């Protein structure tokens, strides 16, 4: 069985990720995946909290068994069999920051995919070590090789920058000319 979960951050109205996860995937394996996807450091203490459909905390899953099972033994199938349709991935326990994972439904298995996988996203990754999520203003990603007009419309480039580059080239030519004059036979008679 493949499940689809939507990941959101309570501090952001923009950020979301949609993940497809096989039912037999352990929370530990998913932790490695989500840390890699979001650029988080893998050496931090993390915790999953399982919530039922009424929003009540029903389980806690850590690196060691806290009574409900350890992350390396608990699978998404087990979590859903317990009636937990929401998981909170606490990635910053000191500041109680978490990513909310809510079951959206089942997804169709594809033999061409490696699970877990990211299927949709919006917004920038949160900074794992900041006390709160801060969204940067959206900046269009222009690449001069993909958008030739972007290379010509660079506001940071002015005539003074071009003149400085020309002066550097003139100095380089001067050094080259001096080296060219040296023939290596100077001390011989």
């Amino acid at each position: 069985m493949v499940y689809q979960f939507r990941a959101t951050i309570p501090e952001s109205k923009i950020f979301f990720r949609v993940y497809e996860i096989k039912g037999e995937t352990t929370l530990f394996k998913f932790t490695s995946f989500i840390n890699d996807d979001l650029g988080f450091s893998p050496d931090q203490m993390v915790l999953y909290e399982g919530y039922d459909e009424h929003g009540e905390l029903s389980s806690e899953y850590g690196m060691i068994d806290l009574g409900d099972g350890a992350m390396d033994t608990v699978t998404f199938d087990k979590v859903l069999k317990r009636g937990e349709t929401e998981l909170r991935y606490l990635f910053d326990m000191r500041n109680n920051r978490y990513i909310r994972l809510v079951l959206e439904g089942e997804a169709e298995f594809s033999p061409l995919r490696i699970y877990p996988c990211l299927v949709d996203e919006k917004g920038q990754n949160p900074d794992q070590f900041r006390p709160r999520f801060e969204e940067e203003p959206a900046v269009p990603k222009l690449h001069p090789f993909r958008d030739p007009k972007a290379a010509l419309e660079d506001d940071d480039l002015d005539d003074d920058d071009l003149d400085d580059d020309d002066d550097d080239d003139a100095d380089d030519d001067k050094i080259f000319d001096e080296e060219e004059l040296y023939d290596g036979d100077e001390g011989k008679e």
Side-chain angles (χ1 to χ4, degrees):
M1 185 73 58
V2 177
Y3 302 104
Q4 192 170 79
F5 280 84
R6 178 172 293 265
T8 58
I9 297 176
E11 306 156 359
S12 173
K13 294 179 182 180
I14 297 173
F15 174 90
F16 78 85
R17 301 288 186 270
V18 178
Y19 299 109
E20 288 185 359
I21 307 161
K22 280 185 170 181
E24 65 263 15
T25 303
T26 64
L27 295 177
F28 181 78
K29 182 176 180 182
F30 184 70
T31 299
S32 297
F33 174 80
I34 197 169
N35 283 343
D36 186 52
D37 180 51
L38 298 176
F40 286 177
S41 175
D43 63 352
Q44 301 299 306
M45 189 181 309
V46 296
L47 178 76
Y48 284 91
E49 295 177 336
Y51 290 81
D52 62 18
E53 58 260 357
H54 303 294
E56 298 291 323
L57 176 64
S58 53
S59 302
E60 291 183 328
Y61 310 106
M63 293 300 285
I64 58 171
D65 190 349
L66 302 172
D68 299 312
M71 289 190 321
D72 61 345
T73 61
V74 176
T75 63
F76 279 85
D77 280 336
K78 286 182 184 178
V79 167
L80 293 172
K81 281 181 186 173
R82 291 180 178 170
E84 298 169 350
T85 55
E86 177 184 336
L87 288 171
R88 291 186 183 174
Y89 173 59
L90 277 86
F91 63 91
D92 181 358
M93 294 175 67
R94 175 179 285 162
N95 295 306
N96 196 32
R97 294 180 65 218
Y98 60 89
I99 294 175
R100 186 173 177 242
L101 298 159
V102 178
L103 177 67
E104 287 194 326
E106 295 179 8
E108 189 173 323
F109 173 78
S110 171
L112 302 176
R113 287 194 174 156
I114 298 173
Y115 294 96
C117 63
L118 174 69
V119 294
D120 197 8
E121 67 180 327
K122 184 176 182 183
Q124 66 185 24
N125 290 344
D127 187 334
Q128 183 179 14
F129 300 110
R130 280 197 182 160
R132 44 185 288 261
F133 185 73
E134 296 175 15
E135 293 180 304
E136 302 285 328
V139 177
K141 295 180 181 178
L142 299 176
H143 192 278
F145 297 114
R146 293 190 193 127
D147 187 0
K149 292 180 185 176
L152 298 175
E153 297 173 359
D154 187 1
D155 293 336
D156 295 333
L157 189 63
D158 57 8
D159 292 336
D160 293 338
D161 291 336
L162 292 174
D163 292 339
D164 290 343
D165 289 341
D166 291 341
D167 292 341
D168 291 341
D169 291 341
D171 291 341
D172 290 343
D173 291 341
K174 186 185 221 181
I175 292 169
F176 180 76
D177 291 340
E178 290 172 4
E179 289 174 358
E180 201 173 65
L181 294 176
Y182 177 72
D183 62 356
D185 294 333
E186 208 171 86
K188 296 181 185 176
E189 292 197 23

